[in-house]
């Protein structure tokens, strides 16, 4: 039986993270250049990295979308045309835009496909029809929209629909927030969000002092709703997190890619698989999970009145070379002989390895690895370059 399956769209905060997301199953990635995006604190891409990333993604049948979703001031247009010509020349698949003037500029100076950013807060069919008339081919609906509402928009407007499926949520309408402007002097709508809504605030009363993270939301997790996304004809399900870790990018991409493939082939997701995937989604830094607005409107129980959970695992590094009897690993965090590590293949079960010996590339035995070094580890497991290696904290 043929089923409509959404595209899996993953974040790529850097070239390394793009490679991770693509190899772990993302059908498309979204990323930013050095200007024009809403994640200026992310590593982002130079022009050379943009070309390398696009080439790599296309070689692996994945698409690349570039964000131009900042709210533009007049001076920002000075270099926009040149940037558009460049990303069109390297065959970027689409741009994600929130500003009307930017849409007009893109259409006048390129043939790039335009996706409407969630920053534009498109929440209904009438709005979607207007955006379509302006040349937009895909709507990234506001995060206040349910799957049922998104389905109606698609049916009434005949336009591609993209929805967030996983990651951090925002207490403001689709990210239109100015708290950071006042608390940190950083413009949230021009790439400077300081995540002030995640802070703990206090209220001094006459007899007591109350502290709370009252503006902080639980993280979004729509894993169990993949059948609903499919049946509603949602074109793309999007993972938030361009500033998050390589471990996050790889784990989330792998989990959702496996779940999508399972549903496509079998027509259902069984509880045993869901629990295994959900366990994987707790092993990196996260907040408690909720379905937010995907089924019912978010309510008080989606407030997360605590600090982030660091998760039980951290990224130790990645495989850079694999032979029959050993692998070479680029170290990010230190570990020693006797430690147990987990290797995440691009699909299938994770591989647990107890480290017996560690060697330098020259063959010298070492007792503890150092970050930013290459080490050789004996093993009979069949590994591959770019496998993520993680360890229990």
């Amino acid at each position: 039986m043929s089923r409509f399956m959404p595209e899996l769209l993953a974040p790529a905060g850097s070239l390394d993270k793009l490679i991770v997301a693509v190899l772990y199953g993302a059908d498309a990635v979204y990323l930013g250049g050095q200007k024009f995006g809403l994640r200026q604190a992310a590593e982002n891409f130079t022009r050379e990295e943009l070309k390398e990333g696009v080439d790599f993604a296309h070689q692996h049948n994945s698409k690349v979308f570039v964000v131009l979703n900042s709210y533009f001031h007049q001076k920002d247009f000075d270099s926009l045309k040149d940037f558009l010509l460049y990303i069109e020349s390297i065959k970027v698949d689409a741009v994600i835009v929130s500003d009307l003037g930017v849409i007009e500029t893109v259409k006048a100076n390129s043939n790039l496909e335009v996706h409407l950013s969630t920053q534009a807060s498109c929440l209904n069919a009438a709005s979607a029809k207007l955006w379509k008339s302006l040349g937009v081919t895909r709507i990234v609906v506001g995060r206040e929209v349910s799957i049922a509402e998104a389905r109606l928009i698609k049916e009434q407007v005949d336009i591609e629909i993209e929805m967030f499926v996983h990651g951090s949520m925002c207490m403001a309408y689709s990210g239109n927030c100015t708290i950071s402007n006042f608390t940190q002097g950083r413009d949230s709508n021009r790439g400077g969000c300081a995540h002030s809504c995640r802070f703990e605030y206090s209220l001094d009363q006459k007899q007591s002092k109350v502290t709370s993270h009252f503006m902080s939301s639980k993280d979004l997790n729509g894993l169990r709703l993949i059948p609903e996304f499919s049946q509603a004809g949602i074109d793309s399900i999007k993972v938030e997190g361009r500033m998050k870790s390589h471990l996050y990018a790889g784990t989330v991409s792998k989990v959702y890619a496996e779940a999508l493939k399972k549903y496509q082939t079998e027509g259902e997701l069984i509880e045993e698989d869901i629990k295994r995937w959900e366990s994987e989604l707790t092993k990196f830094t996260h907040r408690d999970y909720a379905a937010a607005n995907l089924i019912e409107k978010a309510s008080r129980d989606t407030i997360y009145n605590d600090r982030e959970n660091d998760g039980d695992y951290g990224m130790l590094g990645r495989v850079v070379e694999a032979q029959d009897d050993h692998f070479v690993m680029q170290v990010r965090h230190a570990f020693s002989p006797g430690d147990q590590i987990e290797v995440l293949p691009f699909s299938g079960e994770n591989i647990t390895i107890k480290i017996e010996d560690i060697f330098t590339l020259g063959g010298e035995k070492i007792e503890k690895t150092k970050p930013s070094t290459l080490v050789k580890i004996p093993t009979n497991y069949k590994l591959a370059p770019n496998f993520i290696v993680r360890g229990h904290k």
Side-chain angles (χ1 to χ4, degrees):
M1 177 180 175
S2 177
R3 295 181 180 85
F4 182 92
M5 296 305 300
E7 159 194 275
L8 175 60
L9 176 57
S14 66
L15 181 57
D16 281 349
K17 291 176 189 177
L18 178 150
I19 292 169
V20 166
V22 168
L23 292 178
Y24 279 95
D27 301 306
V29 293
Y30 63 103
L31 54 88
Q34 297 296 303
K35 298 172 65 175
F36 310 130
L38 285 178
R39 292 293 181 267
Q40 291 302 308
E43 295 175 60
N44 293 317
F45 286 67
T46 64
R47 289 196 173 196
E48 294 75 17
E49 288 172 334
L50 275 170
K51 185 178 188 318
E52 187 175 345
V54 171
D55 289 345
F56 181 88
H58 287 174
Q59 288 165 9
H60 292 81
N61 299 313
S62 294
K63 295 180 178 180
V64 176
F65 307 145
V66 171
V67 295
L68 307 174
N69 55 353
S70 169
Y71 284 116
F72 279 51
H73 288 194
Q74 187 59 42
K75 65 180 181 180
D76 297 319
F77 285 90
D78 294 343
S79 56
L80 178 59
K81 180 179 177 180
D82 178 62
F83 186 66
L84 293 173
L85 293 174
Y86 177 72
I87 61 175
E88 183 177 31
S89 74
I90 63 172
K91 303 188 185 312
V92 163
D93 295 282
V95 290
I96 304 172
V97 182
S98 56
D99 188 295
L100 277 165
V102 176
I103 293 176
E104 185 176 73
T105 304
V106 172
K107 302 303 291 184
N109 293 282
S110 76
N111 292 309
L112 288 162
E113 189 171 329
V114 177
H115 297 174
L116 184 72
S117 171
T118 188
Q119 286 288 115
S121 292
C122 181
L123 310 177
N124 57 73
S127 176
K129 286 178 182 177
L130 175 61
W131 290 113
K132 182 179 179 180
S133 73
L134 296 172
V136 169
T137 60
R138 176 185 290 189
I139 304 288
V140 188
V141 292
R143 291 182 238 196
E144 299 72 33
V145 173
S146 68
I147 296 174
E149 290 170 329
R151 180 177 194 161
L152 288 175
I153 294 172
K154 180 172 181 177
E155 290 174 350
Q156 293 181 26
V157 183
D158 187 26
I159 194 169
E160 289 187 8
I161 297 294
E162 178 179 308
M163 300 187 74
F164 279 91
V165 70
H166 195 94
S168 297
M169 293 293 288
C170 186
M171 55 76 63
Y173 250 81
S174 296
N176 289 292
C177 176
T178 58
I179 301 175
S180 293
N181 299 55
F182 294 99
T183 61
Q184 305 288 318
R186 291 165 51 176
D187 193 334
S188 301
N189 297 300
R190 287 175 54 78
C193 180
H195 305 284
S196 298
C197 59
R198 304 296 185 187
F199 298 170
E200 183 179 58
Y201 292 90
S202 62
L203 174 64
D204 287 319
Q205 298 175 312
K206 290 182 180 180
Q207 302 290 329
S208 64
K209 182 177 182 179
V210 179
T211 60
S212 174
H213 296 80
F214 70 99
M215 289 185 289
S216 183
S217 170
K218 291 179 180 178
D219 284 350
L220 174 65
N221 182 342
L223 177 69
R224 288 178 175 267
L225 300 177
I226 282 176
E228 282 79 358
F229 283 112
S230 172
Q231 293 159 20
I234 304 305
D235 296 275
S236 181
I237 54 175
K238 183 174 191 172
V239 176
E240 179 275 340
R242 282 194 290 136
M243 292 178 62
K244 294 183 178 178
S245 69
H246 295 73
L247 181 60
Y248 174 93
T251 304
V252 177
S253 296
K254 180 180 179 181
V255 164
Y256 278 90
E258 287 184 352
L260 286 163
K261 185 176 181 180
K262 191 84 168 182
Y263 182 72
Q264 183 178 27
T265 57
E266 299 185 11
E268 62 177 347
L269 301 180
I270 63 174
E271 190 64 22
E272 180 181 355
D273 287 333
I274 292 174
K275 287 183 176 179
R276 173 169 55 83
W277 291 323
E278 287 180 335
S279 175
E280 287 294 294
L281 295 175
T282 65
K283 293 182 178 178
F284 48 73
T285 301
H286 67 286
R287 301 174 186 88
D288 287 352
Y289 287 121
N293 298 292
L294 293 176
I295 299 299
E296 299 176 344
K297 292 299 179 187
S299 57
R300 290 175 63 92
D301 62 0
T302 62
I303 295 173
Y304 186 62
N305 193 22
D306 206 343
R307 300 187 185 278
E308 285 185 315
N309 183 324
D310 287 335
D312 295 330
Y313 287 79
M315 183 171 172
L316 297 180
R318 66 182 181 91
V319 176
V320 297
E321 179 185 315
Q323 302 294 336
D324 290 340
D325 61 350
H326 74 272
F327 67 95
V328 176
M329 174 180 165
Q330 183 183 49
V331 179
R332 284 184 175 270
H333 292 94
F335 59 95
S336 304
D339 290 347
Q340 189 166 279
I341 64 173
E342 278 192 358
V343 180
L344 279 63
F346 301 137
S347 62
E349 294 185 8
N350 298 333
I351 300 167
T352 300
I353 301 174
K354 184 173 182 180
I355 302 296
E356 301 293 341
D357 296 302
I358 306 173
F359 299 92
T360 66
L361 297 189
E364 180 182 349
K365 187 179 287 190
I366 56 178
E367 293 304 317
K368 188 173 184 178
T369 64
K370 296 180 180 180
S372 301
T373 61
L374 295 175
V375 297
K376 184 189 296 185
I377 300 175
T379 184
N380 292 321
Y381 287 101
K382 304 302 180 186
L383 308 183
N386 288 305
F387 279 5
I388 286 175
V389 182
R390 71 185 181 192
H392 202 280
K393 292 179 179 178

